[in-house]
Amino acid sequence: MSSFRRLLGFTMLLSWVVTTLGFVGVAQQVVAQTSSVDAYIATESPAAKAGVLANIGPSGAKCQGAKAGVVIASPSNTNPDYVFTWTRDSSLVFKMLIDQYTLAIDSSASLRTLIDQFVAAEASLQQTSNPSGLISTGGLGEPKFNIDGSAFTGPWGRPQRDGPALRATALITYANWLIKNSNTTFAESTLWPIIKLDLDYVAINWNLTTFDLWEEIDSSSFFTTAVQHRALREGITLANTLGVSSSVTAYPTQADNILCFLQSFWHPSGSMPFMTANTGGGRSGIDANTVLASIHTFDPQAGCDSTTFQPCSDHALANLLAYTQAFRSVYSINANLASTAALATGRYPEDVYMGGNPWYLATFAVAEQLYDALEVWNSQGSLQVTSLSQPFFALFDSSIAPGTFASSTSTFTTLTTAIKAYADSYIALAAKFTPSNGGLAEQYSRDDGSPLSAVDLTWSYASALTVFEARSGTKFASWGAKGLTVSSQCATNAGGNGETIPVTFNVDATTVLGENIYIAGSVNALQDWDADNALLLSSANYPIWSITVNLPANTIVQYKYIRKDGGSVTWESDPNNQFTTNGSGAQTLNDSWR
Ligand SMILES: *[C@@H]1O[C@H](CO)[C@@H](O)[C@H](O)[C@H]1NC(C)=O
Ligand SMILES: *[C@@H]1O[C@H](CO)[C@@H](O)[C@H](O)[C@H]1NC(C)=O
Ligand SMILES: *[C@@H]1O[C@H](CO)[C@@H](O)[C@H](O)[C@H]1NC(C)=O
Ligand SMILES: *[C@@H]1O[C@H](CO)[C@@H](O)[C@H](O)[C@H]1NC(C)=O
């Protein structure tokens, strides 16, 4: 990597600038830090881009054996072994690359080729049967695969239900750009079928537990729920654009249900309220999960909306305060820092994985949330301090009281200038612990900041690039978060408020004496796939077997018929039958045994 070599020397200079900052006055500090951060970005940006590309097959320099379009998590092959492809990491990385391509930050033909290879690789992974199931039986929730595209069959924390949502968001971003650039054909015939599989998975499964993004806790996870909500919303818009909204009639109801559920993660009690990361796990609940959720569901059109946890919302700012301060006493490199100095931050304060150190991507995420917030305050020309966000703003002005401050006021200028400097200090902190070749590992030491755990983590590089873009005011697309309202009563994945409709299943099935036909499927009323308790159909109109079941309205339902003869049980062949229940009335399905 020759581009890395010319960085030698720079970081030594930079660390001198950063360590010297403590001794200069406040006004100078803002200036000094801004220029040092600018200098870091100027060299780290190409280094991070090269770091990402080195980890993508088929020709990335550090991922031999990776199939075209496959992203390896890191070239580290031992302690930890990350030479696998995770749907989450790959989708976040390609969302960044697709943004770069579609926003003309990098319009190169080679990037377009890579994006198309990613599309093909993910379409093939979707169809790869794996320990989470077949494509029709939950296989989309599989978290990671081998880099040649085959299934990873070892034990793992599965399923992880954020992957399909993040992949859909990356591909929807690409589809929207293609449509704007007169290539609706590719969006419709190649991307939409892949996107729809992922979104159907979200619509059917969002209300089931999942392993969280750190692959440790099996419960409900805020990050997962937030990105699922975003993906469904933008999927609905894309379906409308493509004129296929009749195939996604279940999505609007499920998006409303997910948004309602999202609110339940708020943890209001105590002096520092926060968004709890998981419903299980027995920890404080303070976690980078929530900051990542905020930046990855940022919608510049949504203002400072709290219901979608926008970066400048009072909930997200209160949460950011609780999150950052939680690491003050945990890492020794944070000892004795001033209240407005950047704190090294990691996944969660109780973390012990690979020593439980700060993570580059978590530290960058703090800055990214603040740059996103600054962009909205500047574009709307005002900033609001509420009683909830007041402790956050008090870091920068101890006498600040709740109120709305127009951009013409000195309070607005003081606060936004200080918050920009505070955000920059997180970049400067990461810069201080970036080695001279620009390499970004997974973690940096809680004691001295030296890089630790997996080297060249693709997600670390992607997080550097997205925070740099946020800082430079890149205009990211809206996904439809503006003006959403939350219903007062949260429904499960059943249709709105538990409404049900009668659905009649008719199946043409020839049987021999002693055989009977049953049905089981993906919802409670169809026994949640339990063959032992499958529902018996009536043979009154033999060879048509029938049953009428009350099913939740506006819901994607999967089912199969089962043939039982004494102890022998035969399921219909794959794939599962699937349909969406209507919002009201009765529905009839006429099937033939497969
Ligand atoms: C549409 O995009 C696909 C994917 O990049 C490309 O292969 C195809 O040539 C494009 N078609 C047109 C008409 O530009
Ligand atoms: C399912 O949704 C209901 C209603 O929002 C919620 O109370 C429950 O915790 C959810 N369960 C899971 C596992 O998501
Ligand atoms: C109800 O479901 C049937 C399929 O069983 C479909 O043909 C019909 O269009 C649906 N009605 C509405 C109002 O969606
Ligand atoms: C199903 O079959 C019945 C007759 O067996 C017929 O009356 C009905 O219209 C059919 N419904 C659909 C949706 O094909």
Side-chain angles (χ1 to χ4, degrees), residues 329-362:
S329 60
V330 167
Y331 301 144
S332 64
I333 44 171
N334 286 338
N336 306 319
L337 290 178
S339 65
T340 52
L343 294 161
T345 68
R347 302 192 302 177
Y348 50 91
E350 303 87 349
D351 197 2
V352 294
Y353 172 68
M354 299 298 293
N357 295 286
W359 284 42
Y360 291 98
L361 69 88

Side-chain angles (χ1 to χ4, degrees), residues 206 225 228-230 232-233 236 249-263 307 480 483-497 554:
W206 70 266
T225 301
Q228 288 178 334
H229 175 244
R230 172 188 176 151
L232 273 195
R233 294 281 178 205
I236 295 165
T249 51
Y251 294 1
T253 310
Q254 298 311 336
D256 287 346
N257 291 342
I258 300 173
L259 180 61
C260 195
F261 179 45
L262 198 63
Q263 313 308 312
T307 59
L484 297 173
T485 54
V486 183
S487 40
S488 54
Q489 187 125 51
C490 288
T492 62
N493 69 328
N497 304 328
N554 290 314

